[in-house]
Amino acid sequence: MLLSSLLSVADPPQLLPAREQMAFTLGFHIIIVPFGVAFTFMMLVCQFRALRYGDQQALLLAQRWSRVAAVLFAVGAVSGTVLTFELGLLWPGLMGAYGAAFGFPFAIEGLFFFLEAIFMAIYIYGWRRLPPWPHFLTGVVVTLAGVGGTASVIAANSWMNQPGGFTVKDGRVTEVVPSKVFFNGAFWWETVHMLLAAYIVAGFMVAGVYAWGLLKGRRDRYHRLGFLVPFTTAAIAMPLQFLVGDTIARQVFDREPAKFAAIELVPSTADHVPETLGGVIVNGAVRYGLPLPDVASILAGFRPSTTIRGLDAIPRAVRPDDAVVNVVHLAFDVMVGTASLLLLLSLWFAWFWWRRREVPTNRWFLRGAAVAGLVSLASLESGWVVTEVGRQPWAVVGVLLTRDAVATQGNLWPLFATVLAIYLCVGIGALLVLRTMRRRWSESGPDAVAVPYGPRPAPAAKDHSDGADRP
Amino acid sequence: MSTTIAAILFVGVIAYALFGGADYGAGFWDLTAGGPERGRRSRELISLSLSPVWEANHTWLIFCLVTLWTGFPQAFAAITTTLYVPLGLAALGIVTRGAGFAFRHSLPEGRGEQLSSAAFACSSVLTPFFFGTVAGGIASGRVPTDGHGDPLSSWVNPTAALGGVLAVAVCAYLAAVFLNGQAQRRGDEQLEAAFRDRAVAAAVATGLVALAGVFVLRSDSPRLFHQLSTVGAPLLAVSAVCGLIALLLLRRSRTVVVRGMAATAIATVVAGWGVAQYPYLLGTHLVIQQAAAPTATLWVLVVVSCVAAALIAPSLLVLYVLQLRRKLG
């Protein structure tokens, strides 16, 4: 019912399956992205400890994490390739008309991905026979390429939110100013927002595994370190994310008023707008939510008298209907709500650390940390829902409607069904592989002898070493 | 300027044909290696050789797609709105293949491992086939300038079928040659001989398909045939000579020369296709210049390509050298 109400009669029949498939595949890919972007950084922290201070446990962690990264990177590489195809197969109206303007950030992303793929391979497969510090440096290249790749993809996405740097004549892009396309109005903050999100999600997800181990009584140094490095990373990024998110909200208020009206659930232009927690809009009226008087106005302009443009300010032809607005608003609430919980958890951790200088033993804290990864994923996904659904009905704000961007040939439902089936298998497969690794490692324990940077271990010794996984 | 970009795009296509091709072909030999016991050693060699390099090998595909949609967006949309069936199938094949490959050597031996291994092997054959049909559809001029061509006959036709079969054969050939070299480096004489025989068989099969292709193209794609037999002829001749030399040298275990010759043979065939199509982007119509993006965009692509040549090429070289010297794994 919700899905059908998102569509109007005039839309081509391909619009719904195309949007659902894009949402699903992007939503899947974005789970993997944090690991490609941020996980390597945590490995490098551990590896640095190992190389600098001879910390064997840190070395073992870095090695095992790189095995996990190898699997996730493969899944990310192929699910990213699918997105590339989908831009053409599902959205030929977007790429055909505006590829000349905003296609090149993807080309730059291609460069960074190339670097990432090459050095990721050298890093993952280089443990045994590369010299230590050069091996470490290949990991640094991966981390930097991850930042560059993120920035490039976000450049394309943020251009769709705040397009600029091109001239259209007779339906063709005739002039392009590349710097204004890439560094569009939304670029910097959206990039930082996503990078921090990647470090937060990867950090909490990895830390959650070790929090689980700590809860089960495995309080050895291996588990404490495996918890500490990723959790600290995420906990440091968390308050920064609040500052960045708050700034972005005000920028959206300034430059994307339609999206802001949906986020804050503002039916008609007004001042003294309340911040509505939860709630939905029904026939133009806000229902059920918990209103905090004046707060939306204060957040937008620091004064209760700040006027916020409502949904009624959007021309009727391109005004999102109630269902779209509700999705955007509730997704925003989920994002901020979950992020607030994670911020509290981070502060709690900071307090523990300040008092005791050790990994907390409080069981409620550890339980929270164990699920923090999943909570952060919910935050990440709903954040993307806000930015993507919040742009509707536009594919490129003010320039191209989504319904004009979509493919108009063939029946897309079978493709979507097949994609769902294959992704389900891939998801299950990835989880099975990770479970297999976890079991093998928990059997061999934290004292498993790893022989990096040495000569090839003898076959007999190999079976007990961590490197015994078939490469 | 637009011709430069088209040339850069074609360099990407050639690179993908070589590196991606050898990669897919390894999957072909994985599929045909026999039962779990008999094929074990072949599969181990394939896993070892592919693991560190397969992601980089497939990044060329991304390079081609982004260059096409940035430099020639109209042609890109025309292709995707016409050939969406084989392109969609190829995309699904890529997911199945990559995931299958990544999972199989992380799973313990058993059902799950065999399942992902089968997924990897089957999609390794199907994916290049579909890409071949896409190439055939474009080359024979079946993609209209404004797109929305016939969704079926655009890729179910003689030239596309030739493209598909030729792609699979070429992949198998390249892979057998590379795996022969890998086996030799690892001092495994038995596997070395096995892949030598496979390389010879694949070379002969590729040659026969190419010969049959002459007749297919003459009746189905007259312009392509005419251009190939005139401006493209020198390249095809080089290809034939290199292919023959490679075939003769295979017996003498000169793997470095053989690899070079085999790669040249394939690269020149693909280049021949590009030269034969010139100055058209879609086989028989849509002149490159007309389809090109504004100059500023093309300049960005030139810069990106220069950075790629300066940064990516040496990095790739490091990766392949480390892999060949068995420093990885």
Side-chain angles (χ1 to χ4, degrees):
Chain A
M1 201 194 79
L2 173 72
L3 293 181
S4 57
S5 65
L6 288 173
L7 289 173
S8 68
V9 189
D11 295 333
Q14 288 86 359
L15 186 57
L16 180 61
R19 282 189 61 190
E20 296 306 314
Q21 182 177 331
M22 198 67 197
F24 172 73
T25 45
L26 259 178
F28 182 95
H29 183 68
I30 203 68
I31 300 174
I32 311 289
V33 167
F35 293 93
V37 173
F39 198 13
T40 321
F41 171 79
M42 293 159 207
M43 287 175 231
L44 289 179
V45 172
C46 285
Q47 195 185 0
F48 184 82
R49 281 196 62 83
L51 296 183
R52 193 81 174 72
Y53 308 108
D55 186 336
Q56 286 302 308
Q57 302 283 287
L59 186 66
L60 188 60
L61 278 170
Q63 280 184 306
R64 288 181 172 177
W65 287 353
S66 78
R67 303 260 164 208
V68 175
V71 173
L72 294 178
F73 191 72
V75 176
V78 291
S79 62
T81 307
V82 169
L83 293 174
T84 315
F85 274 83
E86 282 176 344
L87 283 176
L89 295 176
L90 305 179
W91 312 106
L94 173 63
M95 301 318 291
Y98 298 100
F102 89 120
F104 77 83
F106 291 104
I108 298 174
E109 195 271 343
L111 280 187
F112 283 115
F113 181 71
F114 230 136
L115 275 182
E116 203 178 341
I118 293 169
F119 285 94
M120 190 73 151
I122 299 179
Y123 184 74
I124 290 169
Y125 294 98
W127 281 104
R128 285 209 206 130
R129 266 156 279 168
L130 288 185
W133 285 106
H135 178 244
F136 178 84
L137 285 180
T138 60
V140 174
V141 177
V142 175
T143 309
L144 295 178
V147 174
T150 307
S152 311
V153 173
I154 295 294
N157 181 269
S158 55
W159 180 87
M160 291 163 74
N161 291 332
Q162 293 182 26
F166 67 105
T167 317
V168 176
K169 210 181 266 175
D170 303 329
R172 259 184 89 116
V173 174
T174 49
E175 261 175 79
V176 175
V177 187
S179 61
K180 285 191 180 161
V181 170
F182 198 96
F183 302 106
N184 60 74
F187 169 75
W188 286 108
W189 287 111
E190 205 182 315
T191 301
V192 177
H193 199 43
M194 180 60 218
L195 275 173
L196 285 171
Y199 277 83
I200 288 168
V201 171
F204 282 133
M205 290 286 276
V206 178
V209 175
Y210 296 88
W212 186 253
L214 291 167
L215 268 174
K216 287 195 159 181
R218 300 198 198 98
R219 294 203 53 88
D220 46 64
R221 182 147 183 290
Y222 173 81
H223 279 83
R224 291 199 312 265
L225 195 64
F227 174 82
L228 210 53
V229 171
F231 196 92
T232 312
T233 311
I236 291 173
M238 209 56 234
L240 297 176
Q241 186 71 305
F242 263 83
L243 293 177
V244 171
D246 182 55
T247 312
I248 290 177
R250 258 186 301 283
Q251 204 196 41
V252 170
F253 164 70
D254 271 342
R255 300 180 191 173
E256 297 176 65
K259 189 182 273 180
F260 195 76
I263 287 173
E264 298 290 3
L265 219 55
V266 188
S268 41
T269 305
D271 48 22
H272 295 274
V273 178
E275 175 82 39
T276 311
L277 301 184
V280 287
I281 209 165
V282 182
N283 294 327
V286 178
R287 297 268 181 88
Y288 311 121
L290 173 69
L292 308 176
D294 295 352
V295 172
S297 281
I298 294 173
L299 285 174
F302 303 110
R303 271 176 303 139
S305 59
T306 308
T307 304
I308 297 179
R309 273 175 285 179
L311 295 163
D312 62 347
I314 308 167
R316 192 169 284 280
V318 293
R319 193 182 298 168
D321 60 26
D322 288 354
V324 171
V325 172
N326 290 334
V327 166
V328 175
H329 170 69
L330 293 175
F332 185 81
D333 280 4
V334 171
M335 174 180 77
V336 177
T338 47
S340 305
L341 293 177
L342 295 171
L343 182 67
L344 287 178
L345 192 71
S346 305
L347 293 175
W348 195 0
F349 173 73
W351 189 76
F352 274 128
W353 190 257
W354 178 57
R355 297 297 297 267
R356 300 257 177 87
R357 300 266 152 197
E358 66 182 28
V359 176
T361 50
N362 183 305
R363 294 192 73 77
W364 281 106
F365 172 81
L366 289 177
R367 281 180 195 132
V371 296
L374 295 177
V375 174
S376 69
L377 262 187
S379 200
L380 176 73
E381 295 279 5
S382 44
W384 276 104
V385 169
V386 172
T387 190
E388 295 302 289
V389 181
R391 196 173 55 231
Q392 301 308 321
W394 299 102
V396 183
V397 174
V399 175
L400 179 72
L401 288 168
T402 310
R403 85 163 78 100
D404 297 328
V406 77
T408 50
Q409 74 286 342
N411 183 348
L412 295 180
W413 286 107
L415 176 66
F416 182 31
T418 321
V419 164
L420 274 178
I422 291 182
Y423 273 55
L424 190 71
C425 295
V426 171
I428 292 173
L431 289 177
L432 279 180
V433 167
L434 295 182
R435 198 184 62 166
T436 310
M437 288 180 166
R438 192 181 57 95
R439 282 193 180 160
R440 192 163 51 216
W441 292 336
S442 73
E443 276 161 23
S444 60
D447 302 318
V449 188
V451 193
Y453 310 127
R456 209 176 163 73
K462 224 170 87 176
D463 289 340
H464 302 290
S465 79
D466 182 63
D469 315 344
R470 280 169 294 157
Chain B
M1 186 71 178
S2 48
T3 309
T4 313
I5 299 300
I8 290 171
L9 174 62
F10 233 81
V11 170
V13 173
I14 292 173
Y16 189 53
L18 291 178
F19 295 105
D23 215 275
Y24 285 122
F28 177 90
W29 297 119
D30 198 286
L31 184 67
T32 53
E37 273 313 309
R38 199 160 68 88
R40 181 189 302 274
R41 288 184 48 220
S42 293
R43 293 201 174 93
E44 271 172 13
L45 179 70
I46 290 166
S47 276
L48 283 176
S49 318
L50 236 52
S51 299
V53 293
W54 72 272
E55 276 142 343
N57 285 343
H58 285 276
T59 310
W60 288 108
L61 174 64
I62 309 282
F63 177 85
C64 295
L65 287 173
V66 297
T67 310
L68 185 61
W69 82 40
T70 308
F72 308 102
Q74 189 191 2
F76 176 74
I79 292 168
T80 56
T81 53
T82 301
L83 294 164
Y84 58 90
V85 179
L87 283 172
L89 290 170
L92 296 178
I94 287 175
V95 181
T96 317
R97 181 178 191 274
F101 184 69
F103 294 165
R104 82 159 176 187
H105 51 92
S106 300
L107 284 174
E109 285 186 34
R111 271 264 301 287
E113 184 226 10
Q114 277 168 16
L115 208 67
S116 48
S117 195
F120 159 69
C122 293
S123 46
S124 292
V125 178
L126 290 175
T127 310
F129 176 82
F130 290 125
F131 278 131
T133 63
V134 168
I138 298 170
S140 57
R142 285 180 166 96
V143 177
T145 302
D146 294 323
H148 302 281
D150 192 296
L152 200 65
S153 73
S154 56
W155 67 284
V156 182
N157 63 64
T159 307
L162 171 70
V165 175
L166 196 60
V168 174
V170 161
C171 292
Y173 170 59
L174 282 172
V177 169
F178 278 85
L179 288 169
N180 168 253
Q182 285 282 328
Q184 195 193 35
R185 278 180 179 275
R186 284 163 206 276
D188 189 330
E189 283 175 21
Q190 211 181 335
L191 273 185
E192 189 193 338
F195 277 107
R196 188 165 56 225
D197 294 345
R198 289 169 193 175
V200 171
V204 173
T206 310
L208 289 178
V209 173
L211 278 181
V214 172
F215 299 99
V216 173
L217 291 185
R218 206 166 74 144
S219 67
D220 192 55
S221 307
R223 181 181 187 273
L224 183 64
F225 178 78
H226 175 258
Q227 294 296 101
L228 274 177
S229 53
T230 49
V231 286
L235 284 166
L236 295 193
V238 172
S239 170
V241 171
C242 290
L244 281 175
I245 296 177
L247 198 57
L248 292 175
L249 289 180
L250 258 175
R251 295 268 165 226
R252 309 224 178 133
S253 302
R254 299 281 299 277
T255 53
V256 178
V257 187
V258 172
R259 263 208 305 272
M261 286 293 157
T264 315
I266 304 310
T268 43
V269 168
V270 183
W273 166 35
V275 170
Q277 252 192 217
Y278 185 83
Y280 299 113
L281 209 54
L282 295 177
T284 58
H285 49 274
L286 189 61
V287 178
I288 291 173
Q289 210 175 349
Q290 286 172 350
T295 320
T297 305
L298 298 184
W299 269 112
V300 175
L301 285 179
V302 170
V303 172
V304 166
S305 310
C306 291
V307 174
L311 212 63
I312 305 295
S315 307
L316 272 177
L317 200 66
V318 169
L319 175 67
Y320 290 129
V321 167
L322 285 175
Q323 163 71 349
L324 281 178
R325 297 201 179 147
R326 301 181 58 202
K327 292 278 187 195
L328 303 178

